[in-house]
Amino acid sequence: MALIYIVEDDLNIREIESIALKNSNYTVSAFDCAEAFFGQMAELLPDLVILDIMLPDQDGYEIMRKMRKNPLTAKIPVIIVTAKTTEMDLVKSLDSGADDYIRKPFSIMELLSRVRALLRRTAESAPKVLTVGEIRLDQERYLVYAGETQVELTFKEFELLRFLMINPKVVLSREAIMQAVWDTDYEGETRTVDMHIKTLRQKLGSCGKQIGTVRNVGYVIS
C-alpha cells in the first residue's frame, strides 16, 4: 500500500485530497506547512508527495529543491497541485523537480488518475532486486538470500526487510515501521516490531547482524 504525503495549507482542500486517497486504499499523512512535512520525512519517507506551492513558511519550489538535493528524497515523485495556472508557473514547477502538475480547481478523478499513473511509472523504474551487504531481496519473485542461502520469510517479515532495505543506513523508528508494514501507528503495538526483528535476524543467520538497533529509537540496516 503506497504512502502519500500531502502538503497543503488550505484545510478544505487538504481534507478532500486525504479522503479521496484514503478511499482509494492509500495510506495518507497531511501537513499544513513545510516544517511539519520535513519533520515527518525524517521519520518515514513516502512513496509520493502532493505539494501545494503557496505555503506559510516555505513555498513548494523551495521544498522541491531541498528534496532533489538530498539523496534520500531525490527520487520521490512529486505532484504539484496549485492555483498558479500560467505557462511560466508550469515550467517553473517542472524545472524545480516536479513530476506532474495539476491546476486548481481540479477533479478528484483526475487527481487519482495522476497518482496511479505516477506510482505505476515509479514502480516500473524501481530496482527489482534490492541488495544491502550480503542480503538480497527479489521484489518480483518474493525471494530473499542471505549470502548464497535462500531464506524463507513470512509475508510480514518480507515486508519488514524490504522496508529496511529501501531505506539503507536510515534509522527507522518503531512507529514508522508500524505505519509502513502494518498500516497502523498505534504505539502500544510497537513490541510487534521488536519480535519480528528478532525472528528476522535469526532467519538471516550471520547476515542478521546487518540489522542494527538504535536504542530508544528503532532499527537500521547497513
Side-chain angles (χ1 to χ4, degrees):
M1 182 182 298
L3 172 62
I4 298 175
Y5 285 174
I6 297 170
V7 192
E8 168 64 66
D9 64 335
D10 186 306
L11 176 60
N12 290 331
I13 295 176
R14 195 165 66 243
E15 289 184 343
I16 289 170
E17 292 173 341
S18 296
I19 292 170
L21 290 165
K22 287 177 180 177
N23 287 342
S24 295
N25 297 319
Y26 296 111
T27 302
V28 179
S29 291
F31 312 92
D32 61 2
C33 64
E35 182 180 6
F37 168 66
F38 280 117
Q40 182 60 22
M41 288 278 277
E43 294 290 326
L44 179 62
L45 296 177
D47 298 294
L48 183 145
V49 174
I50 295 175
L51 179 63
D52 186 22
I53 292 296
M54 304 295 289
L55 295 166
D57 49 357
Q58 294 179 31
D59 65 34
Y61 302 127
E62 181 61 24
I63 290 175
M64 280 189 293
R65 282 192 287 269
K66 287 182 178 180
M67 288 179 63
R68 296 314 182 215
K69 287 181 181 178
N70 185 337
L72 294 176
T73 60
K75 295 184 179 180
I76 296 175
V78 176
I79 298 177
I80 289 292
V81 180
T82 179
K84 289 178 170 286
T85 59
T86 69
E87 183 178 358
M88 286 305 300
D89 293 321
L90 170 59
V91 170
K92 187 175 181 180
S93 295
L94 297 176
D95 285 348
S96 297
D99 298 277
D100 203 350
Y101 182 101
I102 300 176
R103 294 177 174 88
K104 296 178 182 177
F106 57 89
S107 149
I108 289 299
M109 295 302 294
E110 178 188 10
L111 174 66
L112 294 175
S113 178
R114 298 287 188 95
V115 166
R116 287 193 296 268
L118 188 49
L119 286 173
R120 187 166 57 249
R121 292 202 304 270
T122 304
E124 290 170 353
S125 63
K128 306 306 179 186
V129 177
L130 303 174
T131 303
V132 179
E134 295 297 313
I135 302 173
R136 287 180 293 122
L137 183 148
D138 188 321
Q139 300 192 76
E140 283 192 328
R141 300 164 62 200
Y142 275 79
L143 297 175
V144 173
Y145 291 89
E148 298 302 317
T149 304
Q150 185 175 337
V151 180
E152 297 293 332
L153 300 180
T154 66
F155 177 73
K156 286 301 183 185
E157 289 166 353
F158 183 90
E159 291 299 308
L160 171 58
L161 180 60
R162 175 161 63 179
F163 184 57
L164 291 169
M165 293 181 71
I166 62 177
N167 296 284
K169 299 182 181 180
V170 177
V171 178
L172 300 168
S173 69
R174 291 172 176 82
E175 290 75 20
I177 294 171
M178 283 298 298
Q179 182 176 355
V181 180
W182 280 270
D183 190 26
T184 178
D185 56 5
Y186 179 48
E187 293 185 5
E189 293 295 329
T190 54
R191 182 158 178 76
T192 299
V193 176
D194 298 334
M195 295 170 60
H196 278 74
I197 288 286
K198 180 180 179 180
T199 304
L200 187 56
R201 282 172 171 157
Q202 291 172 345
K203 290 187 175 182
L204 291 171
S206 61
C207 294
K209 63 187 178 185
Q210 288 183 220
I211 302 175
T213 302
V214 180
R215 191 169 181 179
N216 298 325
V217 181
Y219 298 97
V220 58
I221 192 167
S222 59

